[in-house]
Amino acid sequence: MSSVVYIDGELVPAGEAKVSVYDHGLLYGDGVFEGIRAYNGRVFRLQEHLDRLYASARGIQLGIPLSMSEMESAVLRTIAANGLTDAYVRLVVTRGIGDLGLDPRKCGAPTVFIIASTIQLYPVEVYRAGLRLITCRTVRTPPSSLDPSVKSLNYLNNILAKLEVAQAGADEGIMLNQEGYVAECTADNLFLVRAGEVVTPSPEAGMLIGVTRNAVIEVARAAGYVLREALFRLGEVLTADECFLTGTGAEIAPVREVDGQAIGSGKPGPITNELHAAFQELTARDGTPIEAGSR
Ligand code: PXG
């Protein structure tokens, strides 16, 4: 089946899905997006992704021209039209077409597009051996500049950090906030295991509140672990028993090393593996059926 893309209410062949060079999503990164995943015919935590999308849009005073239930149907319809049961969905809303000035009030209707594709997973080797992290010098955008809980099209802060990661030959990078507390990684949230407890930076550290993060908190509590959200510095990471990252693409990815220092045993830890298995069990049964929206 050839792929189709949803753009402004229509499903068009992927090669014909185009946005204007005057779109402020492109000119200024003025817009919001979501990365969503479907497993075995079900979209994982779709409502939560939509809630975050609409909250992000409110955060930049962008009115989405579809109701949440219309958006839900559009997502399901796009996945179904591509014949996918396992998918990675990119949902984007931009400020729309304007002139060359910044002023968003001069833009017409927001542009909405949805791409449903297959996912590029980390190689299995990553889950067997663990990721190598560095600490990035690029500080995570402070909430007083642009709230990192807004999933905006402005990813340059994360991209600059990702460049440091690439230059260091590492797999991912830890981003600190202005006060030196651990915030998150360039495109994933971070968790530690210390003395049998599971710890993750609290939202006040300034990060994107991941849908996977929220699901992992649920799964860890259901498995009987004490789950703490806290402010902590790099030293806590280096001395943790286990460390792992969470994200829609990665699910739960173990960390073996930070700045050349082994974390715990230097191998994926038992609690990390247990939580990953429990998370995969959740993705297999929890979710909005794709057929529901394809009719
Ligand atoms: N922090 C940041 C900065 C992110 O961009 C996450 C955490 C994890 O959130 P979810 O809701 O996915 O659990 C993200 C999301 C990619 C890609 O292609 C990943 C994200 C964003 C953009 C691209 O890997 N991650």
Side-chain angles (χ1 to χ4, degrees):
M1 199 183 295
S2 59
S3 57
V4 290
V5 170
Y6 172 101
I7 180 156
D8 296 330
E10 283 182 79
L11 285 166
V12 304
E16 289 167 29
K18 299 201 166 113
V19 294
S20 165
V21 294
Y22 294 98
D23 194 298
H24 278 213
L26 176 62
L27 287 176
Y28 297 114
D30 187 357
V32 293
F33 77 105
E34 278 298 317
I36 309 170
R37 207 154 154 192
Y39 294 90
N40 196 28
R42 290 169 182 279
V43 185
F44 186 65
R45 303 271 151 117
L46 179 54
Q47 187 57 53
E48 204 181 316
H49 280 288
L50 293 174
D51 287 342
R52 187 171 68 183
L53 179 77
Y54 282 73
S56 293
R58 274 196 303 279
I60 64 164
Q61 297 180 53
L62 170 63
I64 297 181
L66 280 74
S67 70
M68 226 188 258
S69 73
E70 288 168 338
M71 190 66 92
E72 177 182 46
S73 305
V75 169
L76 297 173
R77 200 148 63 85
T78 307
I79 302 172
N82 284 284
L84 297 170
T85 50
D86 289 87
Y88 180 77
V89 178
R90 177 59 55 90
L91 166 45
V92 181
V93 184
T94 79
R95 190 75 66 178
I97 296 171
D99 63 19
L100 293 178
L102 272 181
D103 194 347
R105 293 168 307 175
K106 292 188 183 160
C107 292
T111 303
V112 179
F113 63 87
I114 306 169
I115 304 168
S117 183
T118 46
I119 178 121
Q120 174 76 53
L121 292 170
Y122 277 126
V124 269
E125 188 48 27
V126 158
Y127 297 91
R128 218 175 15 237
L131 298 169
R132 284 161 38 250
L133 268 49
I134 59 157
T135 309
C136 297
R137 275 177 300 194
T138 305
V139 167
R140 191 72 177 99
T141 315
S144 52
S145 295
L146 172 62
D147 188 343
S149 70
V150 168
K151 197 164 167 69
S152 85
L153 292 179
N154 253 289
Y155 254 62
L156 279 172
N157 176 234
N158 311 62
I159 289 165
L160 291 176
K162 193 76 181 176
L163 284 171
E164 291 183 48
V165 171
Q167 273 145 18
D171 301 307
E172 246 298 356
I174 297 174
M175 300 186 76
L176 308 176
N177 69 14
Q178 277 182 309
E179 288 76 44
Y181 291 109
V182 172
E184 59 179 334
C185 287
T186 71
D188 298 283
N189 293 114
L190 182 135
F191 282 75
L192 304 177
V193 177
R194 293 183 72 86
E197 293 186 358
V198 184
V199 190
T200 195
S202 48
E204 62 188 300
M207 74 197 71
L208 185 76
I209 313 294
V211 169
T212 317
R213 174 188 184 275
N214 292 344
V216 168
I217 289 175
E218 247 177 72
V219 157
R221 286 187 172 142
Y225 291 104
V226 172
L227 188 298
R228 283 194 300 117
E229 294 177 280
L231 289 176
F232 57 84
R233 296 178 187 277
L234 196 61
E236 295 276 313
V237 180
L238 297 173
T239 57
D241 300 321
E242 301 181 27
C243 176
F244 61 87
L245 309 186
T246 68
T248 296
E251 297 183 343
I252 294 182
V255 172
R256 73 163 190 260
E257 181 184 300
V258 176
D259 296 330
Q261 239 174 278
I263 304 301
S265 66
K267 295 200 204 69
I271 296 176
T272 301
N273 291 337
E274 179 194 340
L275 294 177
H276 194 190
F279 177 79
Q280 287 184 319
E281 214 260 303
L282 182 65
T283 61
R285 63 181 154 82
D286 202 49
T288 309
I290 291 165
E291 321 83 74
S294 62
R295 278 180 249 115

